[in-house]
Every structure is written in C-alpha cells, then in structure tokens.
C-alpha cells in the first residue's frame, strides 16, 4: 500500500523525531504528515546550530516513508506451521493473535525459568542477537529492562557487527586512548591519511557534512584502498594498495618519520612527557622498576640517574641506553628478575631500532605503493602537523596538530588489524596529534565505564598509565569456563566484560563451536530460545550457508519482523513491532559518538508516532511489559526501568518519577515518566515536562564542552602517559594467557597468542588468507583475485534493502548492480561490461553476477559492494546482485587475537552464459 495522495487543504502536521537507522546517528528530522499520512521527511530546522549536521538527515531517512507503508510489512504475529526448517522449506507462517503468540513465547520462557536459566554445560538457555552495531536499542523501547530482569542471556550470537566491524580499533583504541571509534577532529584537521575509511559513505550525514566543510577550506585527504570508493573519489589522492598490506605502508611512514626526517620535527615534549617513550626496558623485555616503589624507571638527564617515572623535576631522556644500579623486571605470573648493574634501553630507542627494517623501499614491494609516494606522504604529514603550535578552545590553550590517520573496517579488523591500529596511533603520537584539537581522536567508550564521560573513565596505575578492565589472566581468576558460547572472557583479555563485550567477542565461534567442538573447552550447546531483532546473520555474517544451517537447527526462534528476511525464515514466531515512524522512545543525544557525531550539546530526543501503527503491530515497550507480566518478572522489570535500563533513570538527586513496581504500565506512562526525569536531569530538577511537551518540541539539550572532545588535556591533568610505543602490559597479559591455556591443554589459540608483543611486527598478513586456501585443499594460484566489500550511503547494511526508493537512488552510484572489476583483468578473461561471471572461493561456494568495469580498482581485486544476495527479503531478493558473504570463511585460522577476521577472501572468476546490460 502506498500513501494515498495528499488532498489539497488537508490537515498538515510536522512531527519532530529521530532517525537512528545506522550507527552514524542519531539524526534529527521532522516528518510531514497530511491527514494522518506521512508524506515527506524534512530537516528539523529547530536543530540548526545544535545538531552537528544542522538538523538534516541522510538519504536513508527519506526511505522511512516507504518503509512504514511497505506492502511487504508483517502486520500481525505469525506462527510457523512447517516444523521442517531449511532454506528450501516454506515456513508456512500463518497469522495468529498477539495473545496466542505471547502465550507460546511466555510458555517457552516459563518452562526454561522453571528448570533453571543455565543448561548442563553452564551456558544461558536464552540467547539474543541484536545487530546493527548497537542501533537496535534505539528502537526497542524498554525491552532492555526485560532483558536485564531475565538474568543470564547469551548475547554472543553475532551477525557480523563487532567481528566484521571496526574491531581491533575498538579494543586497542579503548586500551590506548579510550577511543571505541577513532576519527579526525575534522573541523580543524588539514591532512588525513585514510586507509580504507570510507567516510563519504559510512560516516552518516554528520560525517559527510563535516568532511565537505573541511574540503571547502582546503583539507587534504590521501585515500589508501584497493578500490576507489566514493571517499577516494572526493580525496586529493588515491593510493591503490594491495589488500591487507596496510600495516607495511603505515610502518614505512613511521620509518621515514624516524629515520628520514630531523628528530626535532617530531613532538619531542609530547613523546617525553605524555608517552612511555622514556621508560627503561630491561634485558627480559619488561620495564626496569624501582626496587622501593615498583614504579618503572626512566633516565633523568637532570640528576644523571634512573628515577621512578613520576619523580618531580625529572628531565626524561627520550633515547639511549643507560646504566641502572638496581632494578627489577616484572614478567608474567610470578616471574620477577632482580638485577644490579643492568642496562636500560628507552622504549623509544627500542621502537626506533625495531622500525629500522621497515623502509619505504621494503614496503613498496609488500604493499605495492611506490616508495617515493610513501616518503611524500610521510613528509607532508609532518609538515601539516604544526608541531609546537597551540589553539584556544573555550578559553583553554591546547596543542594544535591538524593531522589525522583513520582506518576502515577491513583494515582495523582481522589479522593485521592490531598492527595497523598501533602504527596509526604511533604516527599521531610522533607528532603529538593524539587526542588534541585537529588531530586523531576517539569518539566514545563501550568497554570502559562510565560511558557517559570518557574523560572520567580511568584511574591511574602505578606505572603512570590509564587502567584497563582486562579479563583476568592470572592463575586464580582466569575464566577457564566460558560464561557464554563464544568464550570471549576466556580468550580475549582486551575485550573486557562490559555489557557490550559478549557481542564484541569472537561471535563467529557461537556458530562454529556448535558443530566443531574445541579441544578442552566445554562443549557448546544450542540455546533453547533465540530472540532476534534488527539483525540478519544469515545474510550479514561470513559463510552464510553455514550460519543458515546452524540457525535452522535452533530449537526455538522468535524474530521481531518488519518484513520476511533470511533469518526469520527459520523463526517459529514472528512479532510485528511498530517501526521507526510509529514507535515511542526517548534517547540520549549529543556529546561524542561514532561515526562522527561531535556535538557541543547533549540531551534527549523523542521518537514518536508520526503515523498510527499499522495493522496489528505493537509498540516495543508494550511488548516488553507484556512479556515481563507473563513471565512473572514485572517487579524486576519495573525496577530496571526505574534504574534507567531503558535509557534514563526515573529518580535523581531532587526528583522522583519512579513507577510503582507491582503493576503493568502503558508505553505512554513509562515514557511520560522518562520524559519528566529527562527534563529534570537537564534542568537540575527545575523543570519536569512530560511526554506532551516532548512530543511538541522533539528534543532538548544543554551545553557539552568542545574541550571534552579531547582526552590529552585530561591525561595531563592527572599526570598520566599513554602506554605507547612499547606494549609491556599486553606482553605480560599475553604470556599469562599463554600459561593458562597451556595448563588447560588448549593449543588451538597458539597462533593468536603471538599477537601479544612489546612492538608490533609485519607478518605476511595476506599470506594468512592464502594459507587458508591451502588449508581448504586448493591451490593459491587457482584463486588469483581478492574480493573486498564497501559501504553504500543508500543502505544501512541490509536493513533497508526492502525499500524501493533506496534501490532507485543507489542505482545512480556505480557498483550497486554487480561485481566491480578492472578492465585489464576482465580483458584477460575475455569478459566485458554486463557479462555474467561466477566468483568462487576456496570454501567451495560460488555466486554469480554481472560485471561492472571500472578503472577505479586494482587488477587483482574485485569489489562486491554492500551485503546483497537476499533470497527471502522482499524487493531485495529480486536484485540479482551477489554478496561476498557466501564466499568468506568462518575459520580459526582467520581469527585474530581480538577474535575478529576481515571481510575479504581469495576467489576465482569464470565467465558464464548470460548477459545483462
Ligand atoms: N551508509 C552506511 N553507513 C554506515 C554503515 C552502513 O551500513 N551504511 N555501517 C556502519 C558500520 S556498522 C560500519 S562498521 C562502518 C564501516 O565503515 P568503513 O570502514 O568506513 O566503510 P567500508 O565501506 O565498509 O570500508 C570499505 C573500504 O575499505 C576498503 N578496503 C577493503 N580492503 C582493504 C584493505 O585491505 N586495505 C585498505 N586500505 N582498504 C581496504 C574498500 O576498498 C572500501 O573502500 O560504517 C558505518 N556506517
Ligand atoms: N558483504 C558485507 N557484509 C557485511 C558488511 C559489509 O561491509 N559487507 N558489514 C558487516 C558489518 S560491519 C555489520 S555491523 C553487519 C550488520 O549486519 P546486521 O546487524 O545483521 O544488519 P542487517 O543485515 O542490516 O539486518 C537488519 C535486519 O533488521 C531488519 N529490520 C530493519 N528494520 C526493522 C524494524 O523496524 N523492525 C524489525 N523488527 N526489523 C527490522 C531488516 O529486515 C534486516 O533483516 O554486517 C556485516 N556484513
Ligand atoms: S546517517 Fe544513519 S542515523 Fe543519520 S539520518 Fe542517515 S540513516 Fe539515519
Ligand atoms: Mo559494522
């Protein structure tokens, strides 16, 4: 059903609301409603000067009208009637009432509760998969309160978010500088080196706006990537690098900066005072520590002796080797070396000596970027860094270093991701551009706490660094027995144990381990109940046929569903939620958030029904309350709401809108109380506007200091340093983990343990994908191409591919209807534009599609944009465009130490019959 044409003279309303369809949100907008029918999405002009993109939204938001009125919407609960589950099985969904649907769901949950929430293996019987990089919570009302009331749930059944996303960046970024996602300080930066960061497609309306403004004032960007993305097309320079060799390129930049540029062009005071560069490293590879205090030593040029790092008045030596009279080194577990008359080498000297091997001439052979270009980029970067200059922000004088290095998702995850994250951070460290105006900064935190303010998210360690919530690796507290199936707390110390950690763990293991028991690890068991919302792992993950096979064997699957899709094809029950323009929810906005949401204000915004919920769809909050009531959890659920699990606590220092816990409340009541509490929070209790006020006004903010975008001043205030370049903590933790796994007899994580080193090395990262070809019993020469993927501005993953408008708009951007291939490579195979090819991978899977020729891609690389290949999602299933996800493997070999792998694989290409022009 499409909206009937608006009658002239009809009643026109403009409803303020938000879009959070992709991770670059939230963005504010208004919906024009004529006689109750949504007709247009418009900017929210009241947000001009408040929202970083002046109250505008991107192209995807315009699709929301068609989404609401889609003829393919699921508009009533449905029950599966075909007990057999398979891709080729018609589920036989039949409409049922909400009462019947909720009775079936609650009976299952109550049966689980009666027998215990954990199964014999100790894993939660209930699992939940939410995708879209955390965006579903912005649409699921108070379901979060129900989940918190329930108890243990396995949140580790991933969808590709997390492990296919920015991953090493999340973990190492938070470890080094509290940066879950790392971006340029775009409004002030002048020079960006971007390795595969496709911000013109991926950074949302705020990112695109900021970059356009920056280009307008002359900012330069060097885009390094195997194919010319829309971002590359907007950049000053494109360097078509060989896939997965970015670490070599970045290492060579470091080499040029250290060896081919005068030392004083670097930010020596920053290196000396804000990093661990002057710490003295002993012969065993750990810091030399003061026998009295245990603190790391540095060489004090003032007194001519080694002193603890925080000695007042000390003038640390940045480089050199120094005699230390007495010190000890602290290794893994109980390793301790007490030493006298020992030589200490500064961490910076260790770093410089280590980088000597990675010359530009060496890198050229590895990454296929000419040495002269590497040198040019390094020198331009130093020149643009403005070392020594300052800028005033809100009356505070801060360093001004307008250079940034950004990484995209295939660069900062999987093998080589850690090395790229380290090298990128070191590039900015060398010129003092880390977490300062103009430089490379982190957006927000997800592993550390409190999320509300990353500047308050650290205590000092005695080593003078920010502390970090590692999963334990010591003998007493290491978790030999995983709490959920992907074993993140057992295997990945860096991922921590916050509410986001299960979804950032090696989520492919949740699927893999069900069929491949791992030696000495408790056997993975199928969860008895799987809940799915706004994710489609059967399309979005690696080796999608394999994911489909696992999902088809899940005993009971409940999916919230806007339309049929590939994952809910295997569901037992479908529940129709009120979607973007129909539901009610208040969320926090402002502050700093990925992708490039940097606000100078913070507050709340309301999502409210612009149009009546269609059919028998139900508001998420009402669904959650009903579930809580039917499972006897109402009190706990209401208490969770009062605590703020749904986004805002209902009680503050001088206000209290807590709801009585013993009865069910409607969505309107819950969000009215939430609105009142939010109003009070923003006005210190002075105002308590309820839902009606927020419905009219849409959002409200208070100032957020721009100076809070930058971490370095907070570090200075606490007298702390970044633990860079040398990784003493990680080395110790890696060795301890190795000891624990050895004691447990686990050998299948040995390769991952090698990532824990004091200084990162180049390894043949593309070679790991090549060795996987051999592991699959094939020959590398038979798979001569790489296939990579990229974002599309028109699509939020696969979530809006059922919207015809998105298809129409994306049709104007090259690459959306086939496999992008270089003409020279195509000519060798006798392939022309529009020909059909079969692309196959070493795991024995293949896809077909038409060829799109472009000079903007390396001859050894193919591009499969986005995540197509739908076979159940309406509209999308008729696209006939392939996706790499059927071709890529889920494999231990390809899993790195952080638990992620990368979206690329070696493939073979063959021309097949049929042409589509
Ligand atoms: N419109 C839109 N925006 C989004 C999303 C969305 O679905 N739609 N998703 C959001 C999410 S969850 C994420 S994770 C981000 C991802 O954001 P990005 O990482 O910025 O974007 P992608 O387009 O996925 O990155 C692909 C780029 O990496 C390049 N590439 C592939 N392999 C390599 C390599 O080995 N080296 C180098 N240097 N480059 C390589 C490709 O050529 C391509 O240009 O986007 C977010 N923003
Ligand atoms: N080929 C390829 N694959 C990729 C990537 C890539 O770049 N290329 N990127 C990876 C990354 S970084 C990420 S984060 C993941 C994301 O992957 P997922 O998190 O799995 O996201 P989607 O595939 O978009 O699935 C979203 C689902 O939500 C449903 N949906 C949309 N709106 C609503 C609604 O209002 N209500 C309900 N009930 N359902 C709704 C859609 O129908 C869709 O099935 O994908 C990964 N997969
Ligand atoms: S960038 Fe994402 S959240 Fe913002 S308007 Fe576009 S789709 Fe919505
Ligand atoms: Mo992602």
């Amino acid at each position: 059903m499409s909206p009937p044409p608006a009658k002239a003279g009809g009643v026109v309303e403009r409803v303020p609301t938000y879009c959070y369809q992709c991770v670059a949100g939230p963005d504010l907008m208004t919906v024009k409603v004529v006689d109750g029918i949504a007709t247009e999405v418009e900017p929210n002009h009241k947000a001009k000067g408040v929202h970083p993109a002046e109250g505008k939204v991107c192209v995807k938001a315009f699709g929301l009208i068609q989404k609401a009125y889609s003829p393919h919407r699921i508009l009533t609960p449905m029950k599966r009637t075909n007990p057999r589950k398979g891709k080729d099985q018609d589920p036989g969904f039949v409409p049922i009432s909400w009462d019947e649907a909720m009775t079936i769901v609650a009976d299952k949950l109550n049966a689980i509760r009666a027998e215990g929430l954990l199964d014999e293996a100790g894993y939660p019987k209930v699992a939940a998969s939410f995708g879209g990089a955390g965006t579903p919570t912005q649409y699921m009302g108070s379901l979060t309160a129900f989940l918190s009331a329930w108890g243990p749930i396995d949140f580790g059944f991933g969808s590709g978010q997390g492990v296919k996303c920015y991953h090493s960046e999340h973990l190492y970024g938070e470890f080094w500088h509290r940066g879950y996602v790392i971006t340029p300080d775009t409004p002030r930066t002048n020079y960006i080196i971007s390795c595969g960061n496709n911000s013109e497609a991926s950074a949302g309306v705020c990112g695109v706006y900021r970059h356009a403004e920056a280009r307008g004032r002359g900012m330069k960007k060097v885009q390094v990537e195997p194919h010319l993305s829309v971002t590359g097309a907007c950049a000053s320079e494109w360097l078509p690098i060989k896939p997965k060799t970015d670490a070599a390129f970045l290492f060579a930049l470091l080499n040029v900066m250290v060896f081919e540029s005068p030392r004083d062009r670097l930010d020596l005071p920053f290196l000396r005072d804000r990093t661990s560069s002057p710490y003295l490293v002993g012969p065993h590879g750990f810091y030399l520590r003061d026998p009295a205090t245990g603190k790391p030593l540095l060489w004090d040029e003032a007194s001519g002796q080694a002193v603890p790092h925080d000695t007042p008045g000390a003038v640390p030596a940045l480089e050199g080797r120094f005699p230390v009279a007495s010190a000890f080194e602290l290794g893994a577990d109980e390793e301790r070396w007490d030493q006298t008359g020992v030589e200490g080498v500064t961490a910076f000297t260790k770093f410089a000596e280590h980088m000597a091997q990675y010359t530009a001439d060496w890198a050229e052979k590895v990454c296929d970027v000419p040495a002269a270009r590497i040198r040019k980029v390094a020198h331009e970067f130093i020149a643009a860094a403005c070392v020594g200059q300052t800028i005033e922000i809100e009356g505070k004088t801060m360093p001004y270093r307008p250079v940034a290095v950004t990484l995209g998702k295939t660069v900062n995850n999987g093998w080589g991701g850690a090395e790229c994250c380290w090298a990128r951070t070191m590039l900015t460290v060398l010129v003092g551009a880390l977490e300062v105006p103009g430089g490379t900064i982190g957006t927000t935190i997800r592993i550390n706490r409190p999320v509300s303010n990353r500047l308050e998210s650290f205590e000092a360690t005695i080593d003078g660094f920010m502390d970090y919530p590692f999963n334990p690796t010591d003998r007493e507290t290491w978790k030999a027995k995983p709490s959920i199936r992907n074993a993140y707390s057992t295997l990945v110390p860096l991922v921590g144990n916050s509410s986001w950690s299960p979804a950032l763990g090696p989520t492919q293991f949740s699927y893999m381990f069900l069929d491949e028991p791992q030696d000495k690890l408790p056997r993975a068991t199928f969860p008895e109940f799987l809940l799915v919302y706004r994710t489609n792992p059967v399309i979005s993950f690696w080796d999608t046929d394999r994911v489909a096979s696992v999902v088809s064997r899940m005993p009971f699957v409940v999916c919230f569903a806007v339309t049929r899709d590939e994952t809910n094809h295997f569901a037992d029950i479908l529940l129709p939620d009120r979607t973007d323009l129909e539901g009610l929810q208040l969320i926090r906005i402002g502050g700093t958030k990925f992708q490039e949401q940097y606000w100078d204000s913070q507050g709340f915004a309301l999502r409210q029904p612009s149009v009546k919920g269609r059919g028998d769809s139900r508001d998420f909050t009402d669904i959650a309350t009903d579930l809580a009531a039917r499972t006897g959890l109402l009190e706990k659920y209401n208490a969770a709401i009062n605590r703020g699990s749904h986004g805002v606590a209902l009680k503050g220092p001088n206000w209290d809108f807590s709801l009585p816990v013993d009865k069910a409340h409607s969505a309107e009541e819950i969000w009215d109380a939430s609105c009142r509490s939010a109003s009070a929070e923003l006005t210190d209790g002075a105002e308590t506007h309820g839902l009606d006020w927020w419905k009219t006004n849409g959002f409200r903010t208070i100032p957020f200091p721009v100076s809070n975008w930058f971490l370095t001043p907070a570090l200075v205030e606490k007298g702390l340093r970044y633990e860079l370049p040398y990784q003493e903590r990680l080395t110790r933790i890696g060795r301890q983990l190795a000891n624990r796994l050895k004691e447990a007899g686990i050998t299948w994580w040995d390769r991952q343990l090698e990532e824990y080193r004091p200084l990162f090395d180049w390894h043949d990262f593309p070679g790991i994908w090549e060795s996987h070809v051999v592991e699959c019993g094939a020959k590398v020469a038979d798979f001569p191409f790489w296939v990579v993927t990229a974002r599309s501005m028109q699509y939020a993953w696969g979530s809006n591919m059922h919207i015809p408008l998105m298809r129409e708009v994306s049709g104007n951007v090259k690459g959306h209807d086939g496999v992008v291939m270089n003409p020279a490579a195509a000519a060798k195979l006798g392939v022309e534009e529009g020909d059909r090819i079969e692309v196959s991978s070493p795991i024995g899977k293949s896809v077909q599609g038409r060829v799109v020729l472009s000079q903007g891609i390396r001859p050894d690389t193919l591009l499969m944009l986005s995540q197509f290949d739908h076979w159940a999602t309406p509209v999308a299933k008729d696209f006939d465009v392939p996706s790499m996800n059927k071709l890529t493997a889920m494999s231990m070999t390809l899993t790195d130490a952080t638990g992620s792998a990368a979206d690329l694989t070696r493939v073979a290409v063959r021309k097949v019959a049929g042409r589509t022009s």
Side-chain angles (χ1 to χ4, degrees):
M1 177 184 115
S2 30
K7 283 177 284 181
V11 180
V12 178
E13 294 164 90
R14 285 197 161 76
V15 183
T17 190
Y18 64 75
C19 175
Y20 214 149
Q21 281 181 95
C22 83
V23 75
D27 292 304
L28 303 176
M29 62 180 185
T30 51
V31 180
K32 184 175 167 189
V33 180
V34 182
D35 288 336
I37 305 287
T39 59
E40 282 172 59
V41 164
E42 296 178 339
N44 184 340
H45 294 293
K46 283 196 202 141
K48 189 170 166 52
V50 180
H51 171 249
E54 312 288 12
K56 291 176 188 156
V57 283
C58 83
V59 60
K60 294 185 279 306
F62 293 87
L64 288 174
I65 308 262
Q66 285 190 347
K67 178 174 177 181
Y69 295 112
S70 166
H72 306 288
R73 283 268 305 265
I74 304 285
L75 290 172
T76 155
M78 301 261 205
K79 178 171 79 175
R80 176 184 206 95
T81 54
N82 181 357
R84 283 199 309 254
K85 291 185 177 180
K87 206 169 159 176
D88 55 347
Q89 295 291 321
D90 179 347
F93 285 122
V94 295
I96 52 172
S97 68
W98 269 101
D99 188 53
E100 185 181 349
M102 294 303 270
T103 304
I104 296 171
V105 172
D107 283 354
K108 279 276 172 207
L109 288 172
N110 287 330
I112 288 172
R113 240 190 143 70
E115 288 178 9
L117 300 179
L118 304 181
D119 64 17
E120 316 84 78
Y123 294 122
K125 290 181 188 166
V126 173
S129 189
F130 305 124
T135 54
T137 45
Q138 317 294 334
Y139 289 96
M140 59 164 82
S142 59
L143 190 77
T144 39
F146 171 77
L147 299 171
S148 137
W150 175 263
I153 294 178
D154 187 338
F155 288 107
F157 279 84
S159 59
Q161 64 140 1
V163 284
K164 291 177 88 179
C165 245
Y166 291 15
H167 196 264
S168 298
E169 168 157 312
H170 292 331
L171 274 52
Y172 288 97
E174 283 220 20
F175 174 55
W176 287 318
H177 60 113
R178 297 300 187 259
Y180 183 74
V181 167
I182 288 128
T183 72
D185 181 29
T186 312
R188 278 162 285 265
T189 207
N190 290 331
Y191 193 87
I192 300 176
I193 301 169
S194 157
C195 288
N197 186 293
N198 190 5
S199 54
E200 293 302 322
S202 67
V205 62
C206 294
V208 167
Y209 186 84
R210 283 159 48 106
H211 283 263
E213 293 287 306
R215 274 197 306 277
R217 61 171 173 74
M219 181 268 286
K220 284 185 77 177
K221 186 187 285 179
V222 179
Q223 186 73 7
V224 187
E225 58 187 4
H227 104 280
L228 182 66
S229 63
V230 292
T231 309
C234 298
S236 336
E237 199 171 338
W238 170 43
L239 300 178
I241 195 168
K242 190 175 158 202
K244 269 291 165 195
T245 62
D246 296 77
F249 171 75
L250 295 167
F251 282 12
L253 293 178
L254 287 169
N255 175 287
V256 175
M257 287 169 69
V258 172
F259 295 104
E260 300 183 16
S261 168
R263 193 58 99 238
D264 61 6
R265 300 291 308 273
L266 304 182
D267 192 338
L268 301 178
F270 183 86
L271 288 165
R272 194 187 59 211
D273 301 330
R274 293 281 67 88
T275 73
S276 55
S277 297
Y279 284 20
L280 296 175
V281 178
H284 301 278
F286 295 91
Y287 298 138
L288 287 174
R289 292 172 184 273
D290 174 36
T293 60
K295 292 178 180 176
L297 298 168
L298 44 73
W299 185 257
D300 176 18
E301 287 179 330
S303 63
Q305 58 177 345
V307 298
H309 66 85
D310 54 356
T311 306
V315 181
L318 187 60
E319 295 184 64
R321 309 181 119 77
F322 301 96
V324 177
S326 162
F328 71 96
E329 280 176 73
L330 205 56
D333 294 325
E334 44 289 312
E335 268 176 346
R336 180 185 158 120
W337 300 275
D338 289 285
Q339 298 159 91
T340 48
V342 64
E343 183 183 72
V345 186
T346 73
F348 188 86
T349 293
K350 282 261 181 199
F351 161 73
E353 289 174 354
H354 180 72
M355 296 320 286
Q357 57 191 310
Y358 301 122
T359 62
D361 301 299
W362 162 82
E364 171 177 328
K365 290 187 215 93
V366 177
C367 71
D368 210 13
V369 178
R373 293 294 273 275
I374 297 176
R375 293 196 165 92
K376 178 171 165 272
V377 171
H379 290 300
E380 283 176 359
F381 184 78
I382 299 180
C386 300
V387 172
Q389 294 188 28
T390 58
I391 187 172
E392 198 160 299
I393 294 195
E394 292 162 349
K396 293 182 193 159
T397 303
M398 295 190 184
Y400 171 64
R401 298 284 182 283
V403 288
V405 190
T406 56
L407 309 178
K409 76 174 245 295
T410 308
V411 178
N412 70 29
N413 64 17
W415 293 111
E419 288 73 10
C420 288
C421 290
W422 176 76
R424 164 278 277 294
T425 317
M426 279 312 298
L427 281 167
T428 63
V429 158
L430 289 183
V431 293
L434 187 62
E435 294 286 351
V436 298
T440 305
I441 61 180
T443 48
T444 186
I445 50 174
R446 287 288 176 256
I447 298 167
N448 288 276
R449 288 284 175 262
V451 264
S452 53
N453 187 350
R454 68 186 190 109
L455 304 192
E456 285 173 3
S457 69
F458 50 91
E459 294 296 323
T461 69
I462 66 155
D463 291 2
F465 306 131
M466 294 179 271
D467 61 354
Y468 190 82
F470 290 110
N471 287 316
T473 50
D474 59 286
R475 197 168 282 118
E476 289 69 43
T477 56
W478 176 66
K479 280 190 118 177
K481 203 163 164 302
S483 51
I484 62 165
R485 294 159 183 88
N486 75 37
Y488 73 95
S489 51
T490 306
L491 300 173
V492 189
L494 263 176
V495 82
N497 202 12
S498 81
S499 58
W500 283 62
S501 303
L504 292 171
T507 56
Q508 67 278 29
F509 289 173
S510 303
Y511 298 93
M512 285 165 62
F513 289 178
L514 289 171
D515 290 333
E516 284 173 33
Q518 293 298 303
D519 193 27
K520 306 286 191 298
L521 199 70
R523 187 168 176 144
T525 46
F526 276 83
E528 291 177 19
F529 184 109
L530 175 67
L531 186 70
V532 179
Y533 174 52
R534 272 192 191 243
T535 189
N536 194 1
V538 171
I539 279 292
S540 62
F541 223 153
W542 297 298
D543 196 350
T544 44
D545 282 348
R546 188 168 174 192
V547 176
S549 154
V550 173
V551 176
S552 74
R553 286 175 279 143
M554 292 281 177
F556 188 74
V557 181
V558 179
C559 291
F560 292 96
V562 61
T563 66
R564 293 281 301 280
D565 72 19
E566 292 64 24
T567 302
N568 69 36
H569 183 81
F570 301 102
D572 295 277
I573 297 285
L574 303 182
L575 299 175
D577 47 303
R578 293 218 172 131
T579 61
D580 314 53
L581 299 188
E582 301 164 334
L584 184 63
Q585 185 160 357
L586 185 79
I587 60 159
R588 284 181 191 275
I589 57 170
T592 59
K593 248 186 75 48
F594 38 82
Q595 300 284 359
E596 284 205 32
Q597 287 243 345
Y598 288 91
W599 298 54
D600 57 9
S601 58
Q602 59 184 332
F604 294 88
L606 186 74
R607 188 167 59 86
Q608 58 175 320
S610 312
V611 296
K612 236 173 95 247
R614 277 187 64 204
D616 213 4
S617 64
R618 257 177 113 179
D619 190 275
F620 242 106
T621 299
D622 287 330
I623 301 174
T625 306
D626 193 10
L627 260 183
R630 287 171 187 261
T631 49
L633 293 170
L634 201 54
E635 292 205 3
K636 278 191 178 167
Y637 162 78
N638 281 324
I641 290 179
N642 288 339
R643 280 199 312 275
S645 318
H646 67 313
V648 55
L650 300 189
K651 192 174 168 185
N654 54 352
W655 65 90
D656 188 355
F657 299 101
S658 305
L659 297 164
V661 294
D662 55 349
K663 62 184 265 261
H665 306 280
S666 70
E668 295 260 327
E669 284 165 344
I670 290 171
W671 292 109
D672 183 64
S674 309
C675 284
R676 289 185 191 284
S677 195
S679 303
E681 187 188 309
L682 296 178
T683 59
D684 284 331
E687 288 175 15
T688 57
H689 296 306
L691 191 53
D692 286 343
W693 184 94
W694 285 84
K695 280 189 171 174
T696 309
N697 293 278
F699 70 95
R700 179 163 191 172
T701 55
I702 54 171
F704 179 85
V706 171
S707 51
N708 278 10
W709 298 3
F710 313 106
L711 189 83
T712 294
L715 211 71
V716 174
E717 235 164 70
K718 291 203 181 185
L720 299 183
R721 298 164 180 272
Y722 295 113
E723 192 176 4
L724 289 156
Y726 199 80
Q727 301 307 307
E728 202 234 19
R729 253 187 299 185
L730 283 182
T731 304
R732 179 177 305 109
I733 276 164
R735 287 209 198 160
Q736 291 187 174
L737 180 62
N739 291 347
R740 298 297 82 77
L741 293 173
K742 194 161 175 225
E743 286 154 11
I746 291 175
T747 53
W748 42 265
W749 198 247
D750 283 358
R751 188 167 192 172
Q752 285 74 6
L753 291 170
E754 290 170 22
E755 195 171 291
Y756 298 87
R757 302 159 175 260
L759 295 159
F760 287 89
D761 297 288
W762 166 259
H763 298 278
D764 180 11
F765 300 116
I768 298 176
W769 274 266
E770 286 161 2
S771 62
H772 182 253
V773 177
V774 177
E775 211 175 276
C776 293
K779 287 202 211 95
V780 179
D782 292 340
F783 294 89
F785 291 95
W786 289 98
V787 62
V788 299
T789 182
R791 285 287 173 285
S792 154
M793 180 46 105
Q794 292 73 36
Y795 294 117
W797 314 285
S799 78
N800 57 347
M801 284 190 181
H802 65 279
I803 301 173
L805 182 68
M806 296 299 107
R807 173 66 170 169
E808 194 183 324
V809 182
S810 67
N812 298 320
V813 183
K814 191 165 186 167
H816 279 89
D817 57 355
V819 184
V820 180
M821 194 174 188
N822 182 285
K828 279 195 194 152
L829 297 172
V831 171
E832 290 173 15
E833 175 90 20
D835 280 353
R836 231 177 145 72
I837 51 170
E838 181 182 73
V839 182
S840 33
S841 78
I843 61 167
K845 299 285 162 57
S846 60
V847 292
Q848 291 194 2
R850 55 185 90 83
V851 167
V852 178
L853 293 182
S854 167
Q855 293 292 349
I857 190 160
R858 288 173 58 88
D860 61 359
T861 304
L862 306 175
L863 171 76
M864 290 190 199
L865 208 65
S866 216
Q867 49 183 77
F868 295 105
D869 205 22
H870 292 80
W871 45 266
T873 300
V875 181
K877 71 179 162 53
D878 302 321
F879 287 177
D880 184 27
V881 183
S883 158
M884 65 151 50
N885 292 358
K886 196 186 271 186
L887 307 175
T888 43
M890 288 199 290
S891 111
M892 187 60 77
T893 304
L894 299 180
T895 303
D896 72 2
T898 70
S900 68
D903 270 346
L904 82 173
T905 177
R906 303 287 301 203
V907 288
V909 174
R910 184 172 74 86
K911 185 172 164 178
V912 291
R915 253 188 77 83
T916 347
S917 351

